[in-house]
Structures are given as C-alpha cells and as structure tokens.
Amino acid sequence: MRKFNKLFSVTLGLVMAASIFGGCAQKKAEVATATPGKIYIPVISKGFQHQFWQAVKSGAEKAAKQYDVEITFEGPETEAMVDKQVEMVQAALGKKPSAICLAALDSKALIPLLEKAKTQKIPIVGFDSGVDSTIPVTTCATDNLAASAVAADKMAELIGGKGEVALIVHSQTSSTGIDRRDGFVNQMKAKYPDIKIVDIQYGDGDQLKSTDLAKAIYQAHPNLKGFFGANEGSIIGVLNATKELKKEGKVSIIGFDSGKPQLDAIRSGIQAGAITQDPIGIGFKSVEAAVKAIKGEKLEKTIDTGFHWYDKTNIDSADIKPLLYN
C-alpha cells in the first residue's frame, strides 16, 4: 500500500505539472492571438538585426496607441531570409487580420499571398519596400531613387568629379536595394562621365558579409576614391573594412540610415555623411494608412516619408537629430 501511495503521489505530481505547463503554453498562445473584437494589424518587417527596424517598430506602436488598434511586429532574423518572411505572411493571413503592413524582402515572392489577401478583402499596406503588384493599397516609403541620386551628387563633390567608386548594396531583389543602387548609378552616368563605378556587391544587409566584400573591393581597386553603403549593414561593412585596411582619410565614404557606428564615423571624419530616412515616421504612417484602409478611406498609391542628407555640420541639429538612432 505504501508503494501504491508513493506511486500515486508521483503520478499526481506529474499530472499537475503537465497541467501547469499546459496552461502556460495555452496562455502564451493566447497572447500571440489577436484580441477578439479589436482591429488587429500584423506589421511584418524585413528583419530585426538593425536599429532601423526598432525605430520603425516604435513608430508603429505609437500609431497603434493613438488609433486604439492592436499590432504585432515581427521579421526574420536576417534580410536574406525571404522564405521565412513568406511563412510569416502566411501565418498572419491565417489569423484573419483587419489589414497587414508589409516590408517585402522580395518584390515578387510574396505576390501569391497578396492575391490571397485580396480575395479575403484584407488590405495590404507596403512600407519601406514595395512589390511588383498593384494589390497594396499604398506604400509608405522613402523615395530611394531620389535619395541615392543625392548621395551620388555628394560623392561627386567629395572626389572632385572624377575617379573610381564602388557600392555595397543590401539586396538585388527588394525594391529598396534596387532603387538605391539605380538612383546612385544612374545619377553618376547621367551627370559625371569622369567617375567610374568599378564594382557593385550585395551583402544582404549583413555587416560581416559586407565587410568581406568591401575588403575584396579595396584590394582589387587600390585607386578607389569613393565608397557608398546602401543601408546600415552595408555601410558598417565598409567602415569595418576601411579601418582594418587602414584606409581612413584616403577614401570618401557615404552611407544610408544611421546607427552608432555611422554616427561615430561621421563625427570622427572617417565617413563624410549619409542619407537618413524617417523610420519612426515610416512605422507610424504605415499603421495609420492601414487604419484608414480598413475604414474605406481613399489613400495615395505612395506616401513619401522623406529623406535628408546629414554630415558633421548638421548631425546634431534640431531638424536631423530626431531622425537618427543609435
């Protein structure tokens, strides 16, 4: 009988533990599900590895609070994980949201899911990066072609209108990568015939990969006069390579976005300057546009969220400082 009682006690303990853990798991699942009766908008970004996306998240959360809607903010571990983002959109559709905000990693890969969203009457709001489709009701983004054209003009000014330059770009499949590359390249071709673009490499927004690519470019082109990094991860790679190969002061460097490595490099003079977007504004306007779409309000096909050039002269100014993040 004593053995039976002991066995019963152990079994009861295991059952209670299983019940407790099961309850925890159920609670966790409930947290991830939209609150019944409340407008729910999943916000799916390109990733989490850069502070840029955290700034976008803060803007989205600000809009969610102002408009009294529920959002979730997620993205794959890296900006190379297109398949992972596709899975996230598929899962979001399964929750039957009121709308979806999406920064597409690939301008074509998500189109079948967007078509599914359309049949389910779920508005799609693009942000940061668009898709090759008319399905999104609007896209909240920087005019990346114009922004990178300004970067090209600044580069030409810095190197005296002639010489060799190179680019590290984060993507050749997302519209931001394509537009930032083309805006820079096309401006150079149109206005500066004595500037030669000797190489364009794609680092997937990964600073370690971008560092290796930048080092290879430096070694292959010893007369390089200018380097453009088209997003946060890209420019950090350029800066790392510049320091490792002791090229500080020998090459004019221009970046995109912000983050502590860029801000420090600009203040110290290693980097000439950069283009900043308004990531908080991008997040806010995306959720705001989704709310308007849910209500049936008319939206412009593109919502321009703006950009600015900053360098040592204005980095701490009242206009620029709020747009930068560490």
Side-chain angles (χ1 to χ4, degrees):
M1 178 66 76
R2 189 175 297 168
K3 286 184 179 178
F4 173 79
N5 287 340
K6 186 176 182 181
L7 179 61
F8 178 78
S9 298
V10 171
T11 304
L12 181 61
L14 290 172
V15 170
M16 290 175 67
S19 176
I20 291 169
F21 283 117
C24 291
Q26 185 178 4
K27 186 175 181 181
K28 185 175 181 181
E30 288 170 357
V31 170
T33 305
T35 303
K38 193 165 187 177
I39 290 176
Y40 169 55
I41 305 167
V43 182
I44 302 172
S45 73
K46 292 180 179 178
F48 268 99
Q49 75 270 47
H50 303 314
Q51 287 302 310
F52 176 83
W53 297 115
Q54 295 304 311
V56 173
K57 180 174 182 280
S58 70
E61 289 171 340
K62 183 179 178 182
K65 184 176 181 180
Q66 179 171 317
Y67 287 97
D68 191 27
V69 299
E70 183 176 348
I71 69 165
T72 51
F73 192 98
E74 60 183 318
E77 289 81 2
T78 76
E79 294 184 23
M81 300 176 72
V82 176
D83 291 346
K84 178 75 171 179
Q85 191 185 54
V86 170
E87 291 173 8
M88 288 177 169
V89 176
Q90 179 73 63
L93 285 171
K95 296 176 185 178
K96 299 187 177 358
S98 305
I100 294 176
C101 296
L102 173 65
L105 279 171
D106 188 294
S107 58
K108 294 182 173 62
L110 288 159
I111 291 175
L113 288 177
L114 301 191
E115 290 172 347
K116 183 177 179 181
K118 184 178 180 180
T119 63
Q120 295 177 2
K121 295 182 169 42
I122 298 171
I124 301 293
V125 171
F127 69 95
D128 183 69
S129 188
V131 294
D132 292 342
S133 168
T134 59
I135 291 174
V137 293
T138 190
T139 299
C140 304
T142 305
D143 185 341
N144 287 293
L145 284 167
S148 289
V150 169
D153 289 335
K154 294 291 184 180
M155 180 69 77
E157 180 183 336
L158 288 165
I159 66 174
K162 60 182 178 180
E164 297 180 349
V165 300
L167 292 77
I168 300 289
V169 183
H170 51 291
S171 173
Q172 54 186 327
T173 59
S174 75
S175 64
T176 57
I178 293 167
D179 287 351
R180 290 179 197 174
R181 176 198 67 198
D182 291 352
F184 189 93
V185 171
N186 293 343
Q187 187 79 339
M188 284 298 188
K189 288 180 178 178
K191 292 182 64 176
Y192 309 105
D194 293 329
I195 295 177
K196 182 180 181 182
I197 295 174
V198 294
D199 204 349
I200 303 173
Q201 293 293 329
Y202 302 90
D204 297 325
D206 182 280
Q207 63 189 60
L208 295 178
K209 183 176 179 180
S210 298
T211 299
D212 290 339
L213 291 170
K215 285 165 68 175
I217 290 173
Y218 270 135
Q219 289 161 352
H221 302 281
N223 296 320
L224 197 72
K225 292 184 70 177
F227 226 137
F228 175 51
N231 84 331
E232 186 181 349
S234 303
I235 192 60
I236 291 174
V238 172
L239 292 171
N240 288 343
T242 302
K243 293 171 186 174
E244 286 183 34
L245 299 178
K246 300 187 182 342
K247 295 280 188 180
E248 298 100 321
K250 298 176 182 178
V251 178
S252 295
I253 297 171
I254 289 176
F256 216 105
D257 298 324
S258 55
K260 190 175 188 301
Q262 277 201 92
L263 303 184
D264 289 347
I266 290 170
R267 288 190 173 102
S268 70
I270 296 172
Q271 181 176 330
I275 301 291
T276 180
Q277 305 180 81
D278 183 354
I280 293 173
I282 290 172
F284 186 94
K285 289 183 179 182
S286 299
V287 172
E288 181 179 61
V291 172
K292 289 180 178 180
I294 292 164
K295 293 179 178 178
E297 295 181 27
K298 186 174 177 58
L299 293 163
E300 296 293 328
K301 204 61 182 172
T302 302
I303 297 174
D304 187 351
T305 54
F307 67 88
H308 303 271
W309 165 261
Y310 69 99
D311 55 23
K312 191 185 290 189
T313 67
N314 68 346
I315 193 171
D316 293 312
S317 70
D319 292 335
I320 296 298
K321 194 171 183 179
L323 306 179
L324 306 180
Y325 51 86
N326 283 311

